[in-house]
Amino acid sequence: MRILSGIQPSGKLHIGNFFGAMRQHLALQADHDGFYFIADYHAMTSNPAPAELATRTFEVAMDYLALGLDPKKTVFWRQSDVPEVTELAWILSCITPLGLLQRCTSYKDKVAQGLSPNHGLFAYPVLQAADILMFDSNLVPVGADQKQHIEVTRDIALKFNAQYGETFVVPEEQILKSVAVVPGLDGRKMSKSYNNTIEIFEPESNIKKKVMRIVTDSTPVEEPKDPQTCSIFALLRLAAEAEEIAEWEAKYLAGGVGYGTVKKRVVELLCEYFRPYRQRREELERDRDFVEDVLRDGARRARDVARTTMNRVRDAVGLGKVRNA
Ligand code: ADP
Ligand code: TRP
């Protein structure tokens, strides 16, 4: 079963990205034929500074590798190293009804937030469809926020196959088992756009400062507290073992525990959780050539598949030389 997923290099990866998506991506490597890429073309829709785009892309690569992406098993590349995908996006654009894209909520949300949209943002789901269809992906593991984009991909694949003959595998989405949304430092969803994140690899002293500063309600120490609505408890739940989670839950309900005590434990748990990966991350930082080699090798393997697909697609739509009947 081939699985494929992309991650945008739109900022430093945070623990919401890890527990919400990356951890599951990495776990899926064991039993699947994995294709993972860093979606730098997609990130261009928000017009990053050139040096920043390249740097962030490379940092995401180091993060994934440090966290356990196995480049021997999984094909891992930088999207723009396989530019065939933009050709496929164009071909798919020509059969994609405008209404399908106008209905996309992630586009509508961004416009509602006051972002002045470029054509790339509008066409974003078509490029995503090209990513998925190019590699004959069976399964696309994504967060619930991406469900609609996978549905658009299926619609495009079905339409193409009906119009030009069976060409594409029609993929299924696999909505990642939601850890509940990881809350940020201000209690809203952790997101780089809210500036409320704990980055996976920021210094441990920063993690400590950030967690200790999380604003809590004013329930006195001795009173019972609700673990379900407490964002500190939500963070604890991510990194603690089941037994410890149950113990803290009981303490919350019984009263007598202060938020400061729980925060200290959250800091320890998060730092311990990421410590082995942090060491690997530092090694990769010192061996950038290795990371570049991994991406190059991934691009070569991805490009082999892409070329085969493009031959099939170009034939199907009538691009290129006249074929003998
Ligand atoms: P951001 O909101 O920081 O821009 P992205 O939208 O780039 O993050 O997220 C990439 C993936 O990480 C998404 O598929 C989403 O499922 C997951 N993710 C991001 N933030 C969270 C969060 N706070 N809780 C759970 N999952 C998250
Ligand atoms: N749109 C996805 C996100 O923001 C990233 C992405 C681009 C993607 N191409 C993809 C995900 C193909 C899955 C498959 O998270």
Side-chain angles (χ1 to χ4, degrees), residues 90-136:
W90 173 255
I91 294 172
L92 299 180
S93 274
C94 297
I95 59 143
T96 303
L98 212 58
L100 196 61
L101 302 180
Q102 280 163 335
R103 283 195 294 277
C104 282
T105 51
S106 73
Y107 172 75
K108 287 197 287 191
D109 287 351
K110 292 205 169 112
V111 174
Q113 283 163 24
L115 210 109
S116 141
N118 52 50
H119 174 256
L121 188 68
F122 184 66
Y124 184 115
V126 183
L127 181 59
Q128 185 159 349
D131 292 328
I132 296 169
L133 301 179
M134 181 70 99
F135 299 99
D136 300 330

Side-chain angles (χ1 to χ4, degrees), residues 4-8 37 39 42 124 128 131-132 140 142 146 149:
L4 171 138
S5 201
I7 178 131
Q8 276 204 69
F37 65 94
H42 278 105
Y124 184 115
Q128 185 159 349
D131 292 328
I132 296 169
V140 187
V142 284
Q146 292 295 314
H149 288 167

Side-chain angles (χ1 to χ4, degrees), residues 2 7 89 169 177 206 217 229 256 258 302 314 316:
R2 176 161 299 169
I7 178 131
V169 172
K177 260 192 261 118
N206 278 16
D217 61 34
T229 56
R314 291 173 66 99

Side-chain angles (χ1 to χ4, degrees), residues 7-8 10 14 16-22 142-146 176 179-184 189-193 197:
I7 178 131
Q8 276 204 69
S10 42
H14 53 75
N17 297 135
F18 178 78
F19 290 106
M22 298 170 82
V142 284
D145 56 326
Q146 292 295 314
L176 295 173
V179 291
V181 168
V182 177
K189 172 187 177 237
M190 185 175 289
S191 167
K192 20 185 197 285
S193 22
T197 64

Side-chain angles (χ1 to χ4, degrees), residues 291-319:
V291 179
E292 196 50 52
D293 284 349
V294 165
L295 293 175
R296 215 172 297 142
D297 182 57
R300 189 186 49 73
R301 290 156 74 192
R303 222 164 173 190
D304 280 348
V305 181
R307 291 209 171 108
T308 307
T309 307
M310 284 318 293
N311 286 338
R312 205 163 74 221
V313 172
R314 291 173 66 99
D315 261 3
V317 299
L319 289 170

Side-chain angles (χ1 to χ4, degrees), residues 48-269:
E52 216 159 273
L53 179 59
T55 307
R56 283 177 182 168
T57 302
F58 199 76
E59 282 178 347
V60 170
M62 289 195 285
D63 288 352
Y64 256 94
L65 290 169
L67 290 162
L69 186 132
D70 177 0
K72 291 202 194 71
K73 181 144 196 349
T74 298
V75 182
F76 184 49
W77 75 101
R78 190 164 33 208
Q79 185 185 30
S80 61
D81 285 343
V82 186
E84 285 81 356
V85 80
T86 59
E87 183 189 356
L88 182 56
W90 173 255
I91 294 172
L92 299 180
S93 274
C94 297
I95 59 143
T96 303
L98 212 58
L100 196 61
L101 302 180
Q102 280 163 335
R103 283 195 294 277
C104 282
T105 51
S106 73
Y107 172 75
K108 287 197 287 191
D109 287 351
K110 292 205 169 112
V111 174
Q113 283 163 24
L115 210 109
S116 141
N118 52 50
H119 174 256
L121 188 68
F122 184 66
Y124 184 115
V126 183
L127 181 59
Q128 185 159 349
D131 292 328
I132 296 169
L133 301 179
M134 181 70 99
F135 299 99
D136 300 330
S137 319
N138 308 105
L139 264 190
V140 187
V142 284
D145 56 326
Q146 292 295 314
K147 187 172 168 19
Q148 194 179 30
H149 288 167
I150 314 304
E151 280 158 8
V152 167
T153 302
R154 289 170 54 83
D155 283 352
I156 293 176
L158 289 167
K159 183 139 193 267
F160 190 102
N161 287 350
Q163 197 160 323
Y164 293 112
E166 284 302 311
T167 308
F168 293 123
V169 172
V170 181
E172 302 284 335
E173 76 229 4
Q174 174 169 335
I175 300 302
L176 295 173
K177 260 192 261 118
S178 64
V179 291
V181 168
V182 177
L185 300 171
D186 55 1
R188 291 188 291 173
K189 172 187 177 237
M190 185 175 289
S191 167
K192 20 185 197 285
S193 22
Y194 297 148
N195 214 355
N196 64 354
T197 64
I198 299 174
E199 291 158 19
I200 302 172
F201 291 120
E202 67 182 308
E204 291 188 353
S205 55
N206 278 16
I207 297 184
K208 179 164 184 202
K209 266 187 247 153
K210 285 184 169 178
V211 172
M212 297 313 288
R213 272 205 309 254
I214 294 177
V215 181
T216 49
D217 61 34
S218 52
T219 317
V221 173
E222 60 280 3
E223 284 198 16
K225 299 175 182 65
D226 184 358
Q228 301 315 324
T229 56
C230 173
S231 50
I232 303 166
F233 188 84
L235 294 177
L236 182 127
R237 179 174 258 156
L238 297 171
E241 300 286 343
E243 207 177 311
E244 184 174 350
I245 299 171
E247 282 168 22
W248 283 104
E249 190 164 22
K251 286 189 207 166
Y252 261 70
L253 296 172
V257 61
Y259 289 121
T261 318
V262 197
K263 284 178 176 178
K264 283 196 192 120
R265 185 62 190 139
V266 168
V267 172
E268 275 171 16
L269 283 165

